[in-house]
Amino acid sequence: MRAQEVISVNDIGYVSGSRALDESAGEESDSGEQEENKEAPSDEEGDGEDEEAEENEIEPSDDIRGDIESALDELDFDGSYYFHKEFEGAPNPVLNISGFGRLALPLSQADAVRLRSICTQAPFGKGERTIVDKSVRDTWELSASEIHFDNPGWRKWVGTVMKSVCDGLAVDTTQSKPYCDLYKLLLYETGSHSEKSDGMFATLVIILPSQFTGGAVHLSHGGDSVRIDTSSRSLSSTSVVAWYSDVTHAIQPVTSGYRLALSYNIMHAPATGSSRRSSIPRLPSSHEAIQLLRGAFLAWRNQVFDRNVPMKIVILLDHKYTQATLKHRGRKLLKGIDAYRVSHLERVASEYGFRLGLAILECHVDGVPEAPGEYDRYYCDPDPDASEEEQEGHEWVMEEVLEQQMSITGLVDLMGRELLERVKHGDDTQMIPEELEETVIEGKPDRENFEDYQGNYGPSLERWYRRTVVVIWPEVRHDELLHGKQYKKKVSKTPSSGVSSSSSAPERRTPERAGNSAGHPRKRRKLTEDEVEVIDLTTP
């Protein structure tokens, strides 16, 4: 069996990975729309009359933001950001390596030395570059194309492992159809370590039998951290470790022997155009968290145009996502607790006429740094002769903040369709958590830029923090969100109908098309302090 073939959770039923994906894709494309239409009424049929009766009994909230936050905290979630298990009876994959032949397990020192001779030094990602640096990753690797599995039972066993991993990470296998694809074989010798690499939505590492000490996996996410040491039974057992791709991870140095591992990327099956609702298990309507949400959304709906009620609420997600993946998959890419919470938010929000979207939040902090250790008035680095690479290793301390800004950009709906390039936030926006900006900058920055003394100018330090948020807003104020307050003033509003539909919106001219009668571009008017330029990406 060639290693490049994908393995899905369906492989526990002896179905080949590629065939399983083809069949599942076919089923989705043929029946996805029918299933969506079938699921949507089921919610109404199952809850319709009961929910109408329940609404009459629900007490409107007197703290909309606070009750939504409390409800999210009370949603029980059994998943984790990582998975670990040791298997004593795991099968031997019978590795057949190009240029080497069959590799015996447990790995012997002689075979490890011989294997290293046909491997290459493992690189690592740094920005847009891929470089080799033994100070960051001193590891040997072989590409998947060089590896073959002569044991036909290996596929079935990895499929079983995938099922356990997805359960541990709380991945909804019926929704995302996850599968894994062999990425590389990694060999860690004494002194080898690794600090960070990219995965897909998750990474799966299978550590094969070999005698070694050290090499523990250190994982950290959202203020939590765990150290996984598999060396004590490394000679006789096969260990599995998996984690979400935005989890910070490091492999500590191997102190003796050799650590041999197979690294797989865990991915979602390609989208097929189906827009089925998530099949994440739902809490009963009587659950306290659902009741809190209903009270909050009921109060919000009843006071939707009240000045003391927020125009929108922004909720910080647990995991990080890129703008590209938000556009590509929308809510289908959400991981673990994020998927669970958004599923319940969407359920109740839709009952009361509210919309949900996903966006990128960025905090930018500009200030004056203080280097760790003794401060030198001419250099922020304790060692003036340190190289650029050594300076990059320092963890700069922000001594004084000169400027701090927050922005929300790239709003998409839950299907990934673009809505708004920049979301204005101000007095009409409420945050969860309440001190959202402070919560974000307490974490590790995604990027930072240090500038040393320049003539008469002192050193400076800039940091950028990027997170993902859910934005909730009333359906009746959707056009106002897209076009701004100026739109609200120009459309008709009655107590019975609320805001008129977007068909009555004033005609908009983009800067590229705007011009005078001669066809020459007009000079753009400078915006006042209380105005903001809004670009509606839904307009062709």
Side-chain angles (χ1 to χ4, degrees):
M1 183 193 78
R2 294 190 62 83
Q4 302 93 302
E5 293 180 349
V6 298
I7 302 176
S8 74
V9 292
N10 294 306
D11 281 294
I12 62 177
Y14 297 96
V15 181
S16 67
S18 56
R19 182 184 170 199
L21 289 175
D22 292 339
E23 290 179 350
S24 63
E27 290 170 1
E28 278 200 67
S29 60
D30 293 337
S31 61
E33 187 174 346
Q34 295 178 5
E35 289 187 11
E36 180 186 10
N37 295 332
K38 190 176 181 180
E39 284 183 8
S42 67
D43 295 334
E44 298 173 2
E45 291 168 8
D47 299 327
E49 295 181 2
D50 292 338
E51 289 178 359
E52 186 176 347
E54 286 174 5
E55 183 173 321
N56 295 328
E57 300 175 1
I58 294 174
E59 287 291 331
S61 168
D62 56 4
D63 182 4
I64 296 172
R65 191 211 66 83
D67 281 352
I68 292 178
E69 183 173 22
S70 297
L72 295 178
D73 289 339
E74 290 186 18
L75 289 175
D76 299 324
F77 178 73
D78 296 329
S80 176
Y81 63 88
Y82 75 96
F83 171 87
H84 169 235
K85 187 175 181 179
E86 292 188 2
F87 296 86
E88 293 288 348
N92 186 334
V94 189
L95 293 173
N96 194 334
I97 300 172
S98 299
F100 183 96
R102 286 185 174 174
L103 179 65
L105 294 177
L107 180 68
S108 67
Q109 181 174 350
D111 281 347
V113 172
R114 183 168 160 237
L115 180 62
R116 186 184 61 182
S117 67
I118 63 171
C119 292
T120 57
Q121 189 79 44
F124 72 99
K126 187 174 184 181
E128 297 181 353
R129 297 178 294 162
T130 299
I131 61 178
V132 172
D133 185 348
K134 294 185 71 173
S135 66
V136 176
R137 175 175 293 169
D138 186 12
T139 308
W140 302 93
E141 68 174 32
L142 274 177
S143 66
S145 61
E146 305 296 318
I147 305 164
H148 308 266
F149 299 111
D150 286 350
N151 181 357
W154 181 252
R155 171 184 287 278
K156 178 188 174 184
W157 184 79
V158 175
T160 305
V161 168
M162 271 285 290
K163 179 65 169 61
S164 298
V165 168
C166 289
D167 288 345
L169 298 180
V171 176
D172 182 13
T173 57
T174 61
Q175 171 72 10
S176 67
K177 299 290 189 294
Y179 67 96
C180 68
D181 192 13
L182 181 65
Y183 177 53
K184 286 178 181 178
L185 179 145
L186 298 172
L187 178 67
Y188 299 78
E189 60 181 327
T190 301
S192 290
H193 66 290
S194 173
E195 296 212 348
K196 193 173 182 182
S197 63
D198 296 326
M200 300 305 286
F201 84 83
T203 296
L204 166 66
V205 176
I206 300 178
I207 305 168
L208 299 173
S210 60
Q211 183 70 61
F212 67 89
T213 58
V217 182
H218 187 273
L219 305 173
S220 59
H221 176 71
D224 186 29
S225 63
V226 63
R227 180 178 179 272
I228 302 172
D229 189 349
T230 63
S231 62
S232 61
R233 291 186 285 180
S234 62
L235 185 63
S236 59
S237 67
T238 298
S239 297
V240 172
V241 185
W243 57 84
Y244 279 118
S245 57
D246 62 333
V247 171
T248 302
H249 70 278
I251 309 300
Q252 296 179 344
V254 173
T255 53
S256 68
Y258 292 85
R259 180 181 184 268
L260 183 66
L262 296 170
S263 178
Y264 291 82
N265 289 328
I266 304 180
M267 294 171 278
H268 294 293
T272 61
S274 169
S275 58
R276 289 189 304 167
R277 294 184 177 184
S278 172
S279 56
I280 296 172
R282 291 184 169 189
L283 293 174
S285 298
S286 59
H287 192 283
E288 185 176 352
I290 300 300
Q291 294 294 79
L292 277 173
L293 286 176
R294 284 190 168 138
F297 281 109
L298 177 61
W300 194 354
R301 187 184 67 182
N302 291 345
Q303 309 168 66
V304 69
F305 291 109
D306 192 310
R307 290 186 177 181
N308 297 322
V309 172
M311 160 70 176
K312 53 190 172 294
I313 289 180
V314 175
I315 303 173
L316 186 66
L317 291 179
D318 199 56
H319 292 274
K320 295 181 182 180
Y321 310 92
T322 65
Q323 184 66 64
T325 54
L326 288 181
K327 292 179 181 179
H328 180 60
R329 298 195 64 88
R331 68 180 168 198
K332 289 185 178 181
L333 65 85
L334 296 180
K335 308 167 184 175
I337 193 170
D338 292 341
Y340 189 69
R341 286 175 171 170
V342 169
S343 173
H344 289 292
L345 276 172
E346 181 191 11
R347 168 191 177 184
V348 179
S350 62
E351 293 175 9
Y352 291 89
F354 288 80
R355 289 195 180 194
L356 271 68
L358 302 168
I360 300 298
L361 180 142
E362 180 176 276
C363 294
H364 173 235
V365 182
D366 189 0
V368 179
E370 177 183 354
E374 184 177 354
Y375 187 78
D376 186 288
R377 63 175 300 217
Y378 295 108
Y379 294 95
C380 275
D381 195 316
D383 180 7
D385 299 322
S387 66
E388 181 180 348
E389 290 75 13
E390 290 173 327
Q391 290 184 28
E392 287 181 354
H394 286 301
E395 184 175 338
W396 303 107
V397 175
M398 186 74 76
E399 181 180 31
E400 179 184 359
V401 174
L402 303 178
E403 185 179 17
Q404 185 170 308
Q405 296 179 333
M406 184 176 75
S407 62
I408 301 174
T409 58
L411 179 66
V412 301
D413 66 14
L414 294 183
M415 296 301 297
R417 293 174 295 218
E418 299 175 62
L419 294 177
L420 201 59
E421 184 175 292
R422 181 174 294 273
V423 179
K424 184 181 179 182
H425 62 89
D427 295 338
D428 60 353
T429 304
Q430 291 192 6
M431 308 289 185
I432 297 177
E434 191 168 13
E435 303 296 331
L436 186 146
E437 188 172 3
E438 288 70 18
T439 300
V440 170
I441 64 177
E442 284 176 0
K444 185 177 181 181
D446 293 274
R447 184 165 67 94
E448 68 177 19
N449 180 51
F450 165 75
E451 292 290 341
D452 210 335
Y453 277 92
Q454 301 289 331
N456 294 327
Y457 294 95
S460 64
L461 179 64
E462 288 184 280
R463 283 176 173 162
W464 290 264
Y465 304 80
R466 294 187 182 92
R467 297 290 297 273
T468 309
V469 294
V470 172
V471 183
I472 308 176
W473 67 96
E475 172 69 35
V476 295
R477 302 187 72 174
H478 177 68
D479 292 317
E480 182 184 344
L481 176 75
L482 295 186
H483 304 289
K485 291 184 178 180
Q486 293 82 354
Y487 173 84
K488 180 181 176 183
K489 296 175 182 178
K490 294 182 180 181
V491 298
S492 61
K493 186 181 76 171
T494 63
S496 59
S497 61
V499 179
S500 63
S501 66
S502 59
S503 60
S504 61
E507 182 180 355
R508 299 171 62 256
R509 305 181 72 185
T510 62
E512 291 79 11
R513 296 178 183 176
N516 56 27
S517 58
H520 299 297
R522 290 176 178 168
K523 185 176 181 181
R524 297 176 65 180
R525 178 176 63 85
K526 185 176 180 181
L527 298 175
T528 61
E529 291 184 358
D530 57 350
E531 288 184 309
V532 62
E533 181 178 10
V534 179
I535 301 175
D536 179 13
L537 299 179
T538 63
T539 303

